[in-house]
Amino acid sequence: MELISKELFNTYYHLLYGITFLIVLGGALQLDIKKNKLVVDIFFRTISLFLLVAFIFLIGFRAYNVGTDTGNYYQFNWLNNRNSKGFEILFEKILFFIKYINGSFTSFLLLISFLFFFTIYKGYTIISEVVNTQVLFIFFAFISLFFAKSLSINVLRQGISLALLVYAFAIWLKSRSVKKSTPFLILSFISHTTAIIPISIFFLIIYKLKKVDIKFFLGLYALGIVLSLANFGILNIAPFLKDMLGDERRLGYLTNESESYTVGFKPQFVAFNTVFTVLYYYISKKLLKTSIKEDYDILFKYYLLTSFLFFMAFQIPFSDRWGLFGWITIPILASPLFSFNNYIKINKTIGVLFFGSIYLFFAFYG
């Protein structure tokens, strides 16, 4: 099979997104105007799987120059049999297994694409049951975000790691059991060891900061913006981070030694995070008398705390990878917008258009 070239890949991706947008918009209009939940429920259950498979195949059959890290994995790991030292064994074990059974690099990419999309989709399926909505709404919110494509074609190890983290959060939300989500947190860590940061923050909130008022975290969020404006952040505590991470490859993120990446305060990321902070605060207030309020606020606190850390990372190259720790919760925290329980008195059509506009903005101006 001929691989999808770099020239055609973005066109096909935009086309597939556009199809998904029109389907989800049609479903939202059915719910808002005709209140026809049953028709939407049946149709979405059928079409969701077709769309999921389409994304898996599009990403899996891409050419090897689609995504910088894809080419690097092909050159260094696949052709030169290099492997990493340390705990990050999951990704490379899969790679070398495919190679051992005489599979192609495309077979490996297809499997990784399946693991990424299937894991995150299953996580969203669980979330959809918790908030009573259709999974396609949440999946659509995810693919509307500018980093979704990058996770699937570029930062592959971190993509798998964060997909497993989403699944772990979903298990916790449904069962309210950290014990049941722990195996997936471990898998997330052995895929990409930076997962220790969001995992630690999650445990910190669950066991120590659960009862702390949300206003404290909002204040911390604002403090992070002020400190990053004053150029105070991770570099000021770099010796501690170097000892903690202890990985020469990862230490490259903790220096200013990058000619292609601009360090310093990033107002575009502050604006992006703040838009969702305002939205989630509004949703949190509307969920006051619901059964999901407490769990929602825990994830909201997680988002605010990871955002604070993200702002502190503006001093270093590749700080956007730190932003991913919080960004992956955006579709989860936005899910009440699409709930059939009508927690939020905003038309679902507006929610769809909101996420669609985000995709368009970054597609043309990002």
Side-chain angles (χ1 to χ4, degrees), residues 16-27:
L16 184 54
Y17 175 84
I19 293 171
T20 307
F21 169 76
L22 291 175
I23 291 171
V24 173
L25 180 62

Side-chain angles (χ1 to χ4, degrees), residues 6-217:
K6 191 173 184 178
E7 292 72 24
L8 290 175
F9 179 81
N10 283 331
T11 300
Y12 290 160
Y13 192 92
H14 291 321
L15 179 62
L16 184 54
Y17 175 84
I19 293 171
T20 307
F21 169 76
L22 291 175
I23 291 171
V24 173
L25 180 62
L29 288 169
Q30 278 281 340
L31 291 170
D32 291 336
I33 298 173
K34 296 186 177 181
K35 312 296 181 183
N36 205 334
K37 175 181 176 294
L38 182 61
V39 171
V40 173
D41 206 35
I42 294 173
F43 179 65
F44 272 21
R45 285 178 187 275
T46 304
I47 201 67
S48 293
L49 293 177
F50 284 102
L51 292 172
L52 177 65
V53 170
F55 273 101
I56 290 172
F57 276 83
L58 174 62
I59 300 300
F61 284 107
R62 69 189 185 275
Y64 302 163
N65 63 345
V66 178
T68 303
D69 281 7
T70 301
N72 291 338
Y73 285 123
Y74 179 65
Q75 180 66 39
F76 296 107
N77 297 96
W78 188 266
L79 295 180
N80 296 327
N81 293 313
R82 293 186 184 180
N83 57 355
S84 304
K85 296 179 181 179
F87 293 103
E88 295 180 352
I89 61 174
L90 180 61
F91 186 84
E92 289 174 351
K93 289 293 184 184
I94 296 172
L95 185 146
F96 289 119
F97 172 74
I98 295 296
K99 195 170 183 180
Y100 175 76
I101 62 173
N102 293 320
S104 65
F105 188 68
T106 295
S107 301
F108 166 71
L109 292 181
L110 189 60
L111 178 58
I112 290 297
S113 178
F114 170 79
L115 291 174
F116 173 75
F117 280 106
F118 180 78
T119 302
I120 212 161
Y121 182 87
K122 286 294 291 183
Y124 291 154
T125 300
I126 296 171
I127 299 298
S128 70
E129 295 170 357
V130 172
V131 301
N132 188 24
T133 188
Q134 255 299 325
V135 62
L136 188 56
F137 281 118
I138 308 176
F139 183 72
F140 165 75
F142 170 68
I143 61 172
S144 297
L145 300 169
F146 66 92
F147 58 86
K149 182 170 69 172
S150 181
L151 285 176
S152 63
I153 68 171
N154 193 22
V155 286
L156 304 183
R157 284 183 299 118
Q158 193 172 16
I160 294 294
S161 174
L162 293 176
L164 287 163
L165 196 63
V166 166
Y167 190 76
F169 287 161
I171 292 292
W172 167 76
L173 278 170
K174 183 176 182 179
S175 65
R176 298 191 175 183
S177 169
V178 175
K179 183 179 180 180
K180 290 183 178 180
S181 64
T182 296
F184 302 100
L185 294 175
I186 294 171
L187 287 172
S188 176
F189 174 72
I190 64 173
S191 178
H192 205 261
T193 53
T194 56
I196 193 63
I197 298 171
I199 291 171
S200 298
I201 291 173
F202 178 64
F203 282 142
L204 177 65
I205 293 173
I206 289 289
Y207 292 114
K208 296 294 183 182
L209 304 176
K210 185 177 181 180
K211 300 299 182 181
V212 177
D213 194 279
I214 198 74
K215 292 179 181 177
F216 168 81
F217 294 90

Side-chain angles (χ1 to χ4, degrees), residues 246-304:
D247 185 335
E248 292 180 359
R249 290 178 300 108
R250 199 78 72 236
L251 295 182
Y253 299 164
L254 304 177
T255 70
N256 286 315
E257 297 173 2
S258 175
E259 296 179 357
S260 61
Y261 194 96
T262 303
V263 298
F265 186 74
K266 295 180 174 59
Q268 71 275 26
F269 285 147
V270 172
F272 180 79
N273 278 44
T274 302
V275 166
F276 287 103
T277 297
V278 173
L279 175 63
Y280 299 151
Y281 184 73
Y282 171 78
I283 293 175
S284 175
K285 289 296 184 182
K286 294 299 181 181
L287 294 177
L288 190 60
K289 296 181 180 180
T290 67
S291 59
I292 65 173
K293 164 69 173 174
E294 183 179 348
D295 295 336
Y296 184 91
D297 280 355
I298 288 173
L299 277 187
F300 187 19
K301 291 172 183 178
Y302 167 89
Y303 175 81
L304 292 170

